[in-house]
Amino acid sequence: MRLSIGPVLFDWGKKGFQDFYKRMAFDTPADILYIGEVVCSKRFNLSPDEMGKLAEELKASGKEIVFSTMGLVMSEAELDDMRRIVAIAADLGLKVEANDMAAYSVLDGAPSVAGPHVTTYNPETMDFIASVGSQRVVFPVELCFDDVRGIISGATQKPECELFAYGKLPLTFSARCYTSRAFNLPKSNCQYKCGEYPDGMVMRTQEAKPFLTINGIQTMSDRLFNVIEQADQLADGGIDIVRLSPQSQHMGEVAQVWRDRLDGKLGGAEALARLTELNGGQAFCNGYFLGRAGLDFVDAAMLQAEQLA
């Protein structure tokens, strides 16, 4: 099974983006790298032309490079950027990840990936997006694995199947910017406050418990989604690729743990312990995967005990 590094969802600045992807390309066992701004067009850390130059630099790594596009397209200027990205991808022979249905009108049948923000909730949708050029599908993060398997088995088209397997869950987008609002700034003068939060801003409940992550116009989980203990089920269920969503720390080590787990060099409990150590004990969640509340985390031992009770 292949391993992908998803698009950086945070504002790390141009050099931060470039350095990160060079490390992922040349120093990790990842097979696929997704490059591009998905969240906010104001903070395009890499212009379409710079994305093209970076992709050419990364080609020597032998990894597949995919250009990701916006999750919520709201203006003609954003469509123009998308057209430029699609044109450069075509010149370089790269796929484009569509994260908004608007992308398909620009792609016009070109090879693509249906990203996690395209709502592939049933076999009919998977057949449709395959018919308009998507050679790979990344399933929405809120689907349980039984539903994912049902979609795969029910579809007549068989694009590659990728599952979001690790990282803060990208839950939704809004036309409004939560980060600028937190500083009493208008969206038009946000002062790029996102850049002060390399893993997003924690939103707490009234009881001061971490609940969600605010990332500009995007709402994410506070907990790190993590299904490394279920890795054996993924291949058996028709998953070809697992996606790791970038965090600011230890992504190279995280990718190696996942590679070792997928190759059978690490058991589920040991791999989970390694990731817990790397993340300083930050809470995980896997509830959506198991068909439970999204913020729940049930490890394999707890699940087995429940089944025996």
Side-chain angles (χ1 to χ4, degrees):
M1 187 180 298
R2 286 179 289 165
L3 194 62
S4 75
I5 304 292
V8 173
L9 299 177
F10 306 104
D11 185 2
W12 293 352
K14 182 179 298 187
K15 188 172 187 308
F17 265 51
Q18 292 170 330
D19 290 348
F20 174 78
Y21 280 113
K22 288 174 185 175
R23 287 200 307 276
M24 294 301 105
F26 295 103
D27 298 332
T28 76
D31 302 291
I32 304 167
L33 302 179
Y34 289 84
I35 297 173
E37 179 60 52
V38 172
V39 179
C40 177
S41 59
K42 282 191 68 178
R43 67 186 196 194
F44 256 119
N45 287 290
L46 296 178
S47 69
D49 289 337
E50 289 169 333
M51 288 170 62
K53 290 177 183 175
L54 179 60
E56 290 189 296
E57 285 185 53
L58 302 183
K59 272 185 178 178
S61 70
K63 292 175 168 48
E64 180 186 351
I65 309 297
V66 181
F67 285 169
S68 293
T69 58
M70 295 286 295
L72 180 60
V73 178
M74 293 186 285
S75 70
E76 189 60 34
E78 290 172 351
L79 272 176
D80 283 342
D81 284 333
M82 190 184 297
R83 293 184 185 104
R84 183 66 183 143
I85 289 168
V86 169
I88 293 171
D91 288 343
L92 296 175
L94 307 179
K95 294 187 184 75
V96 173
E97 181 183 57
N99 281 304
D100 184 302
M101 287 304 290
Y104 285 100
S105 65
V106 178
L107 284 161
D108 195 25
S112 63
V113 177
H117 305 294
V118 172
T119 48
T120 310
Y121 287 145
N122 51 56
E124 292 78 11
T125 303
M126 192 151 103
D127 285 342
F128 171 74
I129 59 177
S131 73
V132 293
S134 281
Q135 298 174 347
R136 184 181 303 157
V137 173
V138 188
F139 292 100
V141 298
E142 66 271 24
L143 283 179
C144 71
F145 195 51
D146 285 343
D147 288 343
V148 169
R149 284 186 291 203
I151 295 169
I152 294 171
S153 63
T156 58
Q157 303 288 322
K158 300 298 179 187
E160 292 179 313
C161 294
E162 181 169 341
L163 189 81
F164 187 104
Y166 180 87
K168 292 197 173 190
L169 290 168
L171 298 173
T172 188
F173 297 102
S174 167
R176 300 180 186 278
C177 177
Y178 301 115
T179 305
S180 63
R181 184 69 183 86
F183 287 90
N184 289 320
L185 294 169
K187 183 179 178 183
S188 58
N189 182 30
C190 66
Q191 299 180 22
Y192 300 94
K193 288 293 183 181
C194 285
E196 299 176 12
Y197 299 90
D199 292 302
M201 177 189 290
V202 177
M203 188 171 83
R204 300 177 187 275
T205 65
Q206 291 183 334
E207 292 79 22
K209 294 181 179 177
F211 178 46
L212 295 169
T213 295
I214 299 305
N215 179 39
I217 69 167
Q218 185 179 50
T219 303
M220 313 175 79
S221 64
D222 173 70
R223 297 184 175 192
L224 293 173
F225 186 73
N226 182 10
V227 293
I228 199 164
E229 282 196 298
Q230 288 77 32
D232 297 333
Q233 298 177 37
L234 303 182
D236 294 340
I239 300 300
D240 303 295
I241 302 160
V242 295
R243 171 176 294 203
L244 314 182
S245 189
Q247 306 295 310
S248 65
Q249 303 295 319
H250 305 302
M251 278 308 294
E253 294 94 329
V254 167
Q256 188 62 57
V257 172
W258 269 92
R259 184 71 273 160
D260 290 344
R261 172 68 176 128
L262 294 174
D263 291 346
K265 296 177 181 176
L266 283 177
E270 186 180 2
L272 179 62
R274 295 277 298 276
L275 292 180
T276 301
E277 182 180 1
L278 284 170
N279 286 288
Q282 181 174 353
F284 293 130
C285 64
N286 61 4
Y288 281 146
F289 183 91
L290 300 171
R292 303 183 180 211
L295 54 68
D296 285 353
F297 182 76
V298 185
D299 68 27
M302 294 164 61
L303 200 59
Q304 185 176 26
E306 285 184 13
Q307 292 167 345
L308 292 174

